[in-house]
Every structure is written in C-alpha cells, then in structure tokens.
Amino acid sequence: MRIGLFNGGRLGVVHDGVVLDVSDFITAFDVQGRLFEIIRRGIVVDDESLVAVPAIALEDVRWEAPLPRPGKIIGAPANYYEHIDEMPDSATILDWGFFLKSPTSVIGPDETIRLPYSDKRTDYEGELAVVIGRGGRNIPLDEALEHVYGYTCVLDITVRSSEDRSTRKSFDTFTPIGPWIVTADELTRPGDLRLRLDVNGESKQDSTTSKLIYGVPELIAYASSVVTLEPGDVIATGTPAGVGPLADGDVVTLDIESVGSLRATVSARDAIRYEDRPGPATALHRAAAR
Ligand code: MN
C-alpha cells in the first residue's frame, strides 16, 4: 500500500493509477494525526474496503510530508561503504553512532529548501527512510523488520561547517520527505534498492542500499539500544557517494526503486553571511569587554 497526505491533510491511498481519499476511515483524529494514527495501529487498507471511496486523479493531488512532525528523526552518518571515501576522515557509523535531526526541519514534496548561509556549502544527501510502526527498546536484530511500518524518500540536507551534526542538519526545510509511505508488506527487501539523485536533471548519486554498512535491521537494533523507538519515528539510513553543494534555483530529485520520487527546489533568498549568524558577534564582543 502507498499511503500519504495530500491537498491539506487528506489521507490518500494510491490504487490503480488514482488516489483514493480514505480520510473518512480515520475521522476521530485531527488532520495532521490521521496518518500517524494509521501507523500506530499498523493498519494496511485492503483493496476490498476501497470500493466506495472517492477517487482523485494523480495530477490533482499535491502530496504533503507523510509525517509532518515525526517524534524523532534518526540519522546515520557515513553509512555507505563508497561514501566514506569522499569524507574528510574515514570514520563510519561504527565510530559515530547516530545523530538526531529536529522534527521541525521536515517539509513535503515540491517544497523549497532554504539555504541558510551565502558563504557556507549546503549539500544534498539522498536517502532511504524507514518509518517505525511498532515501537520498542532493545529490539533484537532478527525481529527488527517487524517494527517497520514502511519506507519513504528523504533528503538529509546538511551545512558543511564545523558545528555538531544536529545543528548543521536541523535548519527548517532541511528534511524533505515523501511523497508517500510504501508499507513494509510491499517492500520486503529494503537492502536491495537502487537509489538515484539528480540536480537539475544531472545525475549526482546512483547507488544501491546493498552498500549500506548498517542495514535497516542493524539501524533499528542499534538505535533502539539507545532510545525507545516510537510509531512514526523516521530513520534516515544514510547517503551513498556523490554528495555535493546546492545553489539557488536548483531542483533536486530523489528516486528510490519501489518507493517513489521526491522533488525539492532550492532558494538562497534568505541566506546570510556565516559570520552574521546570531550569537558569535555579541558573544565575542562581550568576551573582549571583560
Ligand atoms: Mn545523511
């Protein structure tokens, strides 16, 4: 099942080339909570129940982030064997562990990534995202996939500066996600998917999730050895080789086999000089006056 939010929080299932509006299946919850409630209950809508549901043509559907405010976004640094070669040091996820991104960094498909700094590089990172269904702590490796509700596409946008990862990756708009969630029953081999990203139609990343260092089961087992995973938590599994900078006006498209295609645009309209960011100027001035 492909399920997502569209046209102002409507709940839709892609079925035979149209989108079926199943919003009324889940009426007891607010608009933003609808898909979350589906995930929490582990519902997969079966085809027979979709007979009398309004159908909307795909071209009339504007997809939104399927999880507008996940409880947690867990990120995997240096988790592809080939991406390690282009990183400044050769440490991997085995050394770094995971990081957290702010839930407020999420945007939906076709929304705009806003570059914060005019003089610091901001990179795209195309990644397979795991959506947790059943939560848990200390989830065993061989049970990990049973805790997955589904998969979606995510862009883990990152400023290349010296701050902690949680700072560099948490700017508003830095986590485009969507267009929908493909449920785990339809995607049983998350470790064997082609992942491609292009910028303005030019290929930048072309790899496969078979090159992940920590695969989906390891990420779930490891993360849940630290934090309690909850329904709707998102794990961004890491990015393969080919990361590079974004510029004003760019169009980024991530395609993941059997999952979908996620597009985002880029704007530098609100970018400031790095040295003008709030904090350092006044802090240094105060230090000098002591
Ligand atoms: Mn990443």
Side-chain angles (χ1 to χ4, degrees):
M1 177 178 73
R2 289 165 185 234
I3 188 163
L5 296 175
F6 71 100
N7 296 6
R10 306 299 296 174
L11 184 65
V13 172
V14 184
H15 184 79
D16 283 346
V18 295
V19 175
L20 300 174
D21 187 336
V22 296
S23 305
D24 292 342
F25 282 28
I26 301 288
T27 51
F29 302 92
D30 65 275
V31 159
Q32 296 295 310
R34 273 189 183 125
L35 186 41
F36 175 80
E37 195 54 30
I38 292 262
I39 292 167
R40 196 185 65 76
R41 294 198 223 167
I43 293 171
V44 175
V45 180
D46 60 81
D47 287 4
E48 291 82 73
S49 61
L50 294 175
V51 182
V53 167
I56 295 141
L58 269 169
E59 60 263 30
D60 296 327
V61 167
R62 181 179 164 80
W63 293 105
E64 293 155 1
L67 293 151
R69 289 290 178 272
K72 285 189 283 300
I73 306 169
I74 293 172
N79 194 28
Y80 273 83
Y81 287 108
E82 50 178 24
H83 175 51
I84 295 165
D85 300 334
E86 62 186 7
M87 297 298 283
D89 53 56
S90 58
T92 72
I93 189 167
L94 281 69
D95 309 290
W96 293 114
F98 64 79
F99 60 85
L100 293 170
K101 300 190 78 168
S102 171
T104 47
S105 64
V106 169
I107 57 173
D110 297 310
E111 291 196 63
T112 302
I113 298 161
R114 303 216 168 267
L115 304 180
Y117 302 125
S118 54
D119 52 355
K120 282 283 179 195
R121 181 172 148 174
T122 297
D123 283 4
Y124 55 81
E125 297 186 354
E127 311 193 2
L128 174 71
V130 179
V131 178
I132 295 297
R134 187 155 51 87
R137 181 82 205 281
N138 292 322
I139 297 168
L141 199 57
D142 60 355
E143 294 173 16
L145 290 181
E146 298 165 24
H147 290 258
V148 176
Y149 179 75
Y151 300 89
T152 187
C153 305
V154 67
L155 293 169
D156 175 20
I157 306 300
T158 305
V159 174
R160 296 285 173 223
S161 54
S162 59
E163 291 91 343
D164 191 85
R165 279 191 178 82
S166 64
T167 302
R168 296 187 286 113
K169 292 168 173 282
S170 283
F171 288 85
D172 281 11
T173 76
F174 268 28
T175 311
I177 181 171
W180 45 57
I181 298 170
V182 178
T183 50
D185 59 308
E186 283 192 18
L187 211 162
T188 53
R189 294 171 64 207
D192 187 22
L193 303 173
R194 189 173 177 193
L195 182 157
R196 288 175 293 170
L197 180 144
D198 68 53
V199 178
N200 307 327
E202 188 183 328
S203 176
K204 299 291 188 183
Q205 296 187 289
D206 189 349
S207 188
T208 153
T209 57
S210 64
K211 293 179 181 173
L212 283 166
I213 298 173
Y214 276 10
V216 174
E218 285 88 358
L219 286 167
I220 291 171
Y222 172 62
S224 72
S225 76
V226 181
V227 294
T228 298
L229 293 178
E230 297 179 315
D233 282 353
V234 171
I235 303 177
T237 56
T239 202
V243 300
L246 292 170
D248 187 56
D250 281 349
V251 178
V252 188
T253 308
L254 170 64
D255 276 290
I256 303 181
E257 178 187 0
S258 305
V259 178
S261 178
L262 172 67
R263 183 179 165 279
T265 56
V266 179
S267 172
R269 202 189 61 188
D270 303 328
I272 60 169
R273 288 185 309 167
Y274 183 67
E275 66 179 45
D276 291 340
R277 70 196 189 283
T282 48
L284 290 170
H285 180 77
R286 203 168 56 243
R290 280 159 59 127

